[in-house]
Amino acid sequence: MAPRVVVDLRSAISVINQFPALAGIDLQVTEGEIVLVQGPNGAGKTTLLRLCAGLATLAGGSGTVLDHDLDHAEPRRRLRREAGLLAHETYLYDELTVEENVSFWAEANRVDPTTIDPVLDRLELGERLRGVRVGDLSAGQRRRTSLAVLVCRRPRLWLLDEPHGGLDRAGRDLVDDLIRHAVRFGATVMLASHDLDRATAVATRVVTLAGGRVADSGVRHADVTDDRERPLDERVEDHDAP
Amino acid sequence: MLRDAWLMARKDLRIELASKVTIGQILPFGALVLILFGLAVSPDLTVLGTDRRSVLAQASPGLFWMAVLFAALLTLGRSFAIESADGKLDALRMAGLDPAGIFLGKMLAVTAQLAALEIVLGFGAFVLYNAPLARPLQLIVVVIAATTAITSAGTLYAALGSGLRVRDTLVPLLVLPVLAPVLLAAALSTEAAVFGESSGGWPWTLLLGVFALLYVGVGMLAFGPIMEES
């Protein structure tokens, strides 16, 4: 059976402040892929991720993400609940603690609160940092907190904009582990990164953007979803383990 | 919707408890406004045709609501500065929270903070301006209706300006004309409650209630499209 297409963009145009940030993109991403989106500054990487998150709108062309039509408002709203975006911004409230931030976003995203503690421990935000105000954290610790919010959501489509930014080596390794873990459980990942050595190592395909278009849609060169044939209950156990 | 409203209100009040901006900065600002109004009007001037009622006491309802309005502008600005910083409006959209719930939650949190300010500023106004209090229950009804009208209209316009770089100057320009009728009705109905005037002031109080319902309704309907455009 052919893998399911998760992202299907055809001549997609997206305009930001009257500038066509995406100027006719054709891109298909199938379930289980880890697609690295690379390109120079202003190539349209962030806009592409925002379009796939349902935050940016289509000004031309057509597109579906997770079977939601990007051309209409209501499907875009439904898509947002199924996709997870890690952006340049942290989405965190400086005045609240790590635990209060993650709990707030977990409740907003209707996440089971029992998943919070294992995720905080997995991201090394447990004992020492959970009670610290986010405004007092380092950039790397803030990034880990944003990642914790994303992991709690368990999105079907992970959209990561510079996920390694601000992290030390252990943090970058952790991001790569989380990506592989999510894909093993059936998620699809698109990431934009300037840390090409690291991102290329984790990606199964590299897509190159230039001037708001796809310059090279790449070739799928690896598959990390090789345990899909395992029984579902085993995969669930793996996923539930922090 | 109510679940989302409660979630947002709890979060905003928790942020206020942690930062203490309302107590530490906005309350002193409101108190200063009251004092400066008091200095601008001589306490020796009396109103003709009254039993030596001072001009300051006579004007106290209007001065009180002006101070509340200025404090409300700061509280509303702060409420949406929190959300527009660091991309949190995007995160709220990604979470799929009910826009009407977000509106109600933000409004409830601002209302709670403003109510706390009004208690202190109201006490200050009675002391500084030597105003009487003939009908306290009526005053409570007036304060609830006027506060709801101010925070609902203010929340709507603060959200409208939240995505703009010039929001700090634009939001007051948008909100103050809209709240001018509310200020008028609040001042006249408060005057009736404070001085126990025979006219009663209930028509003005009723008008305040209509404003409050109208702005809450419009806010709940319009907040979704406003968030999409922010």
Side-chain angles (χ1 to χ4, degrees), chain A:
Chain A
M1 195 171 71
R4 184 178 163 219
V5 175
V6 173
V7 175
D8 186 11
L9 303 177
R10 296 181 190 273
S11 305
I13 298 170
S14 188
V15 177
I16 307 291
N17 294 331
Q18 300 180 327
F19 176 77
L22 298 180
I25 282 224
D26 288 292
L27 179 67
Q28 283 75 45
V29 176
T30 54
E31 191 173 48
E33 277 196 283
I34 303 172
V35 176
L36 166 63
V37 182
Q38 66 164 10
N41 291 333
K45 302 185 293 292
T46 296
T47 307
L48 174 62
L49 296 183
R50 287 177 60 82
L51 182 71
C52 292
L55 290 173
T57 53
L58 272 181
S62 63
T64 59
V65 177
L66 294 169
D67 297 327
H68 299 296
D69 186 354
L70 295 178
D71 216 14
H72 296 96
E74 193 48 45
R76 264 204 320 274
R77 274 195 279 274
R78 286 198 296 270
L79 163 63
R80 288 173 194 159
R81 290 176 205 151
E82 297 175 37
L85 176 66
L86 182 77
H88 293 285
E89 299 93 348
T90 63
Y91 303 150
L92 301 173
Y93 296 97
D94 281 355
E95 298 83 355
L96 300 183
T97 65
V98 168
E99 185 176 18
E100 286 169 339
N101 265 286
V102 176
S103 297
F104 168 74
W105 288 114
E107 197 174 343
N109 287 293
R110 288 161 169 77
V111 169
D112 177 2
T114 60
T115 61
I116 294 172
D117 282 346
V119 169
L120 288 179
D121 290 339
R122 175 84 174 89
L123 283 146
E124 295 166 19
L125 295 165
E127 293 304 312
R128 199 169 63 87
L129 293 175
R130 66 189 306 150
V132 177
R133 276 159 59 147
V134 163
D136 297 329
L137 295 178
S138 70
Q141 289 165 337
R142 290 165 69 93
R143 199 67 170 160
R144 282 172 188 260
T145 310
S146 299
L147 271 165
V149 172
L150 182 77
V151 173
C152 281
R153 283 189 71 170
R154 298 187 176 183
R156 291 172 60 198
L157 176 62
W158 290 43
L159 301 158
L160 310 175
D161 202 352
E162 299 293 347
H164 303 107
L167 292 173
D168 56 16
R169 184 171 179 170
R172 294 197 297 268
D173 288 344
L174 183 61
V175 168
D176 294 348
D177 284 347
L178 289 171
I179 289 172
R180 292 192 183 100
H181 190 84
V183 169
R184 271 201 297 274
F185 196 65
T188 306
V189 179
M190 291 174 70
L191 70 151
S193 178
H194 285 109
D195 189 351
L196 291 183
D197 288 342
R198 180 170 283 274
T200 307
V202 76
T204 56
R205 180 156 64 109
V206 179
V207 171
T208 307
L209 297 189
R213 294 171 191 270
V214 174
D216 180 3
S217 59
V219 177
R220 188 167 174 156
H221 61 78
D223 195 343
V224 295
T225 62
D226 51 5
D227 70 342
R228 285 228 189 127
E229 299 307 315
R230 290 168 58 205
L232 181 63
D233 53 349
E234 276 183 30
R235 286 152 56 196
V236 170
E237 279 174 19
D238 277 0
H239 187 70
D240 285 342

Side-chain angles (χ1 to χ4, degrees), chain B residues 110-125:
Chain B
V110 173
T111 303
Q113 292 170 66
L114 207 55
L117 287 175
E118 284 165 351
I119 290 169
V120 180
L121 294 180
F123 181 75

Side-chain angles (χ1 to χ4, degrees), chain B residues 93-174:
Chain B
R93 291 198 287 164
M94 290 291 289
L97 292 175
D98 186 335
I102 297 175
F103 169 80
L104 280 179
K106 303 287 296 176
M107 193 199 104
L108 274 174
V110 173
T111 303
Q113 292 170 66
L114 207 55
L117 287 175
E118 284 165 351
I119 290 169
V120 180
L121 294 180
F123 181 75
F126 281 112
V127 172
L128 285 171
Y129 303 156
N130 198 24
L133 179 53
R135 296 181 190 143
L137 283 179
Q138 185 180 350
L139 183 63
I140 290 170
V141 175
V142 169
V143 167
I144 290 170
T147 307
T148 308
I150 290 170
T151 55
S152 53
T155 302
L156 186 62
Y157 280 88
L160 202 60
S162 64
L164 304 172
R165 285 184 196 140
V166 291
R167 63 174 176 264
D168 292 340
T169 45
L170 186 65
V171 170
L173 273 178
L174 293 173

Side-chain angles (χ1 to χ4, degrees), chain B residues 19-146:
Chain B
S19 65
K20 296 181 177 58
V21 169
T22 301
I23 299 214
Q25 295 173 33
I26 299 176
L27 178 61
F29 168 78
L32 271 176
V33 171
L34 275 186
I35 292 167
L36 290 175
F37 279 152
L39 294 174
V41 181
S42 167
D44 298 332
L45 288 174
T46 53
V47 181
L48 285 175
T50 63
D51 185 17
R52 292 191 59 76
R53 185 189 298 170
S54 74
V55 169
L56 196 55
Q58 182 70 36
S60 60
L63 298 180
F64 166 75
W65 283 112
M66 284 293 287
V68 168
L69 208 53
F70 290 148
L73 287 176
L74 294 182
T75 311
L76 287 161
R78 158 98 178 136
S79 175
F80 278 89
I82 288 167
E83 303 301 347
S84 52
D86 221 4
K88 287 184 282 284
L89 282 176
D90 276 348
L92 288 174
R93 291 198 287 164
M94 290 291 289
L97 292 175
D98 186 335
I102 297 175
F103 169 80
L104 280 179
K106 303 287 296 176
M107 193 199 104
L108 274 174
V110 173
T111 303
Q113 292 170 66
L114 207 55
L117 287 175
E118 284 165 351
I119 290 169
V120 180
L121 294 180
F123 181 75
F126 281 112
V127 172
L128 285 171
Y129 303 156
N130 198 24
L133 179 53
R135 296 181 190 143
L137 283 179
Q138 185 180 350
L139 183 63
I140 290 170
V141 175
V142 169
V143 167
I144 290 170

